[in-house]
């Protein structure tokens, strides 16, 4: 298991060193959310009603931006071949990289989300739920995203292709994430069951993501 | 997870790499047909042949990256339970370095990941003349220096089987001599080296396997 954490640490070090991915995602998220009140007008009630959905969709799109970098530099430099000769099966290599992506990209976005809630006049009661749903739901973004990142390795400029492949997989996360917040903002609704379903989607993605990504990575190796 | 996979000096069960009736297809072209050979512990095998003869394909097949159409690759040795890829070092065309990490960070990562001890890292860097560059990001190294760093990986973790693809490319005469001495020592200690090369490596003892174009549909 030490090889797993060695790989996670290396990817986090690279993310910190290269910096660009996290910064771009945060900047993108900020701008998309800041544009909403400008486009929709200063109707506070409207903004506060659509805030949960807008915050979640913006977060998904921002996290997508950095997915393409999960494997591509390592593929170009021949790192994947050597990782394949290591003690970890490809499934755990993919899981380590998805975990590093979650820590370096999704976690900063999750911290930014409540700040951006201010721009959209999000109801006060919704903040804890927003943070909770984003933390519970965002691992699915990285782990399901690793499938798209691995599949599009060989295609140059696979960025848009990743979005097409991966965004449909995010639908359950989006639905349960928003319904949990709506349960608090516009009752009636069940906060508990939404949160449980959101966590279930995340747990399923922790298994499905690495297994599928590993199959794609093995194909890329040959 | 055990981290010590030292080479068994036990002469009775000499490790051996066996390739039997191997056939491999790449992009619809038959690259290798009915290839059989075996390499024993303490031997170095040089793969030669024209471009496109299948040297890289053979190395990747041995490492397990490519699934052969037919035939098999087997490594029998002391640690029978580990898959072949985990007992092999693969140094391909690409160096496996991350440009933004320093020489030492790259080296330490591979040493830890491949199950070696980080104590070997400095000695290995020293051996390949990289000790003074250890704090420099790998992206700033010259092609030959990057190659040396990739080759230093061989010394980070003890593994019996070394699969090398053009190991001496972009190396100068002195570094080639260092590489030759490292390979000679590995063979001397009972390891196996399989290297694809166009240039003479200057090994003390080695066999040559010449690959030609396989017959088949173009």
């Amino acid at each position: 298991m030490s090889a797993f954490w060695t790989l996670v640490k290396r990817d986090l070090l690279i993310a910190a060193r290269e910096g660009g991915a996290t910064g771009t995602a945060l900047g993108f998220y900020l701008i998309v959310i800041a544009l909403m009140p400008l486009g929709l007008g200063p109707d506070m009630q409207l903004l506060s009603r659509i805030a949960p959905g807008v915050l979640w969709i913006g977060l998904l799109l921002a996290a997508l931006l950095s997915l393409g970098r999960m494997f591509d530099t390592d593929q170009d430099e021949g790192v994947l071949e050597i990782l394949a000769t290591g003690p970890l099966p490809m499934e755990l290599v993919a899981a380590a990289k998805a975990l590093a992506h979650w820590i370096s990209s999704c976690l900063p976005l999750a911290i930014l989300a409540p700040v951006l809630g201010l721009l959209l006049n999000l109801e006060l009661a919704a903040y804890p739920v927003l943070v909770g749903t984003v933390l519970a739901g965002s691992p699915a973004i990285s782990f399901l995203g690793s499938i798209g990142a691995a599949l599009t390795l060989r295609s140059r400029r696979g960025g848009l292709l990743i979005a097409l492949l991966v965004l449909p997989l995010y639908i359950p996360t989006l639905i349960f994430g928003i319904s949990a917040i709506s349960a608090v903002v516009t009752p009636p609704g069940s906060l508990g069951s939404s949160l449980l379903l959101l966590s279930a989607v995340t747990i399923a993605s922790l298994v499905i993501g690495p297994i599928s990504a590993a199959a794609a990575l093995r194909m890329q190796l040959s | 997870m055990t981290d010590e996979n030292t080479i068994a000096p036990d002469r009775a069960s000499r490790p051996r790499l066996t390739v039997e009736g191997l056939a491999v297809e790449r992009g619809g072209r038959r690259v290798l047909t009915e290839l059989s050979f075996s390499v024993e512990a303490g031997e170095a095998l040089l793969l030669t042949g024209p471009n496109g003869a299948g040297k890289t394909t053979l190395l990747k097949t041995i490492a397990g990256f490519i699934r052969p159409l037919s035939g098999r690759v087997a490594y029998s040795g002391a640690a029978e339970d580990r898959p072949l890829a985990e007992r092999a070092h693969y140094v391909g065309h690409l160096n496996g370095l991350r440009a933004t990490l320093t020489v030492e960070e790259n080296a330490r990562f591979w040493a830890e990941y491949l199950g070696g001890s980080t104590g070997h890292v400095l000695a290995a860097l020293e051996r390949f003349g990289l000790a003074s560059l250890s704090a420099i990001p790998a992206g700033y190294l010259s092609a030959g220096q990057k190659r040396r760093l990739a080759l230093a990986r061989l010394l980070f973790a003890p593994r019996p089987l070394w699969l090398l693809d053009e190991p001496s490319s972009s190396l100068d005469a002195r570094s080639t001599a260092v590489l030759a001495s490292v390979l000679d020592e590995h063979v001397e200690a009972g390891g196996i080296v399989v290297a694809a090369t166009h240039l003479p490596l200057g090994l003390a003892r080695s066999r040559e396997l010449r690959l030609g174009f396989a017959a088949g549909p173009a």
Side-chain angles (χ1 to χ4, degrees):
Chain A
M1 217 51 199
S2 74
F4 180 85
W5 294 113
T6 304
L7 184 54
V8 174
K9 264 192 311 193
R10 165 189 179 268
D11 273 29
L12 290 178
L13 181 64
I14 288 169
R17 199 63 60 80
E18 297 181 355
T22 310
T24 315
L26 288 173
F28 180 83
Y29 195 21
L30 174 68
I31 288 173
V32 166
I33 301 302
L35 286 177
M36 287 295 158
L38 298 176
L40 298 167
D43 180 345
M44 300 293 260
Q45 292 217 303
L46 172 70
L47 284 178
S48 118
R49 205 168 67 241
I50 62 169
V54 170
L55 286 170
W56 256 103
I57 293 173
L59 187 130
L60 289 183
L61 296 179
L64 261 185
L65 283 181
S66 51
L67 274 181
R69 297 168 68 153
M70 200 184 283
F71 301 111
D72 69 343
T73 315
D74 283 343
Q75 155 90 358
D76 293 346
E77 300 296 330
V79 175
L80 282 182
E81 288 173 348
I82 312 167
L83 289 177
T85 65
L88 293 184
M90 264 309 177
E91 284 78 7
L92 284 181
V93 169
K97 292 196 150 282
L99 178 63
H101 175 267
W102 181 70
I103 296 172
S104 65
S105 290
C106 291
L107 217 47
L109 288 171
I111 293 166
L112 185 63
V115 180
L116 297 182
L118 291 174
L119 295 179
L120 297 175
N121 191 33
L122 187 69
E123 271 185 39
L124 204 57
Y127 281 94
V129 192
L130 174 68
V131 175
T133 54
V134 166
L135 285 179
S138 58
I141 299 178
S142 299
F143 281 81
L144 291 176
S146 68
I147 305 173
L151 279 173
T152 53
L153 264 184
R154 285 268 173 90
S155 57
R156 292 286 141 215
R157 308 190 204 297
L160 273 179
L161 197 55
I162 291 186
L164 288 180
L165 287 171
V166 161
L167 277 178
L169 301 178
Y170 290 165
I171 291 173
T173 300
L174 183 67
I175 289 175
F176 297 123
I178 293 172
S179 71
I181 305 175
S182 301
V184 176
V185 179
T186 54
S190 169
L191 172 64
S193 61
S194 295
L195 269 181
L196 286 178
L197 283 166
L198 182 67
S199 310
V201 171
T202 295
I203 291 168
S205 78
L206 296 185
V207 179
I208 297 167
I211 290 175
S212 318
L217 288 178
R218 284 203 198 90
M219 228 161 58
Q220 307 287 354
L221 273 180
S222 64
Chain B
M1 207 164 282
T2 55
D3 286 333
E4 294 300 311
N5 50 340
T6 43
I7 302 149
D10 183 13
R11 294 273 156 187
S13 63
R14 277 167 88 84
R16 172 199 286 270
L17 174 74
T18 320
V19 169
E20 277 173 15
L22 203 65
V24 184
E25 206 175 70
R26 301 292 280 155
R29 188 174 74 91
R30 191 62 75 85
V31 181
L32 301 171
T33 29
E34 288 303 310
L35 183 69
S36 300
F37 65 88
S38 81
V39 197
E40 267 198 27
E43 276 191 317
L45 182 71
L46 300 184
L47 306 174
T48 59
N51 295 136
K55 301 187 290 291
T56 300
T57 302
L58 176 57
L59 287 174
K60 285 190 171 179
T61 310
I62 296 175
F65 304 151
I66 299 175
R67 193 172 297 179
L69 279 182
S70 62
R72 66 185 200 103
V73 177
Y75 179 83
S76 60
E80 194 64 54
D81 53 323
R82 284 162 179 263
L84 189 148
E86 280 178 46
R87 281 175 281 162
H89 274 302
Y90 177 83
V91 179
H93 288 291
L94 300 165
N95 294 321
L97 305 174
R98 194 67 182 228
T100 42
L101 298 182
T102 66
V103 169
E104 194 178 339
E105 283 164 348
N106 271 296
R108 278 187 189 282
F109 165 67
W110 284 125
E112 284 173 29
Y113 182 80
L114 295 173
S117 85
T118 41
H120 293 153
V121 167
L122 284 181
L125 293 181
E126 191 85 45
R127 184 87 190 258
F128 281 95
L130 294 165
S132 59
L133 301 170
S134 60
I136 291 177
Y140 292 113
L141 297 182
S142 74
Q145 287 167 334
K146 283 181 185 160
R147 197 62 184 157
R148 272 145 62 191
L149 182 49
L151 289 167
R153 202 170 61 231
L154 296 170
L155 300 176
F156 294 163
R159 291 187 169 200
L161 178 60
W162 290 5
L163 305 170
L164 314 174
D165 199 352
E166 301 284 355
S168 63
S169 68
S170 54
L171 290 188
D172 57 20
R174 225 180 82 194
S175 307
T176 310
V178 172
L179 172 64
S181 71
V182 167
L183 296 184
D184 279 338
E185 278 169 29
H186 180 61
V187 169
E188 198 70 27
I192 294 177
V193 173
V194 180
T197 186
H198 286 291
L199 310 162
L201 291 178
L203 299 185
R205 283 180 305 127
S206 62
R207 281 196 296 140
E208 189 180 318
L209 176 68
R210 197 171 162 74
L211 298 176
F213 281 104

